[in-house]
Amino acid sequence: MIPESIDMELVQQGISRAALAHNAEINRLQAELQAAYAELEASFAVADKKRLIDELHDARTQLETHRKKLDQTERKLAALSQSRLGSLQLRYWRLRRGQRNA
């Protein structure tokens, strides 16, 4: 039994105040959580961007390496083409490659 000396209206007001305080706390925590999610997404975007920059740098380095090798090969081919023996060697290699592919 509830003692009659307790005013029910005061109890309801106390419960209402506590509920409002809990709602305010919930809203504050939700705002913090949303801010944390936004920060997390930003950090993922930065990490993803860094990864893409690293991949681009690696691809450019690899491209430069292949360009240097191609340049060296073209210089060797030009040098071979200039000499009589080299020219014969090149014809031989082309003939062999043609026979292999046929």
Side-chain angles (χ1 to χ4, degrees):
M1 287 191 72
I2 300 174
E4 290 181 25
S5 63
I6 297 177
D7 187 8
M8 289 305 281
E9 191 172 319
L10 288 175
V11 171
Q12 287 177 345
Q13 286 176 357
I15 291 172
S16 294
R17 285 187 195 128
L20 289 173
H22 285 291
N23 283 342
E25 182 70 13
I26 288 170
N27 290 337
R28 185 185 65 79
L29 291 173
Q30 284 178 338
E32 281 184 28
L33 183 60
Q34 287 175 346
Y37 278 138
E39 188 176 322
L40 187 61
E41 285 179 16
S43 68
F44 283 149
V46 168
D48 198 33
K49 186 176 180 179
K50 284 181 181 178
R51 182 185 56 80
L52 290 174
I53 288 171
D54 289 343
E55 286 179 9
L56 180 62
H57 179 266
D58 292 345
R60 283 184 177 161
T61 303
Q62 197 173 28
L63 178 64
E64 188 62 32
T65 301
H66 289 304
R67 282 184 178 159
K68 286 178 183 177
K69 285 183 181 180
L70 178 63
D71 186 48
Q72 289 174 350
T73 304
E74 286 176 342
R75 277 191 270 129
K76 287 179 184 178
L77 178 63
L80 276 175
S81 298
Q82 297 297 322
S83 72
R84 218 161 226 254
L85 179 60
S87 179
L88 285 173
Q89 232 177 351
L90 287 173
R91 281 192 215 150
Y92 172 75
W93 289 338
R94 288 182 185 132
L95 177 69
R96 292 283 300 204
R97 190 177 328 128
Q99 288 175 351
R100 193 176 345 131
N101 292 337

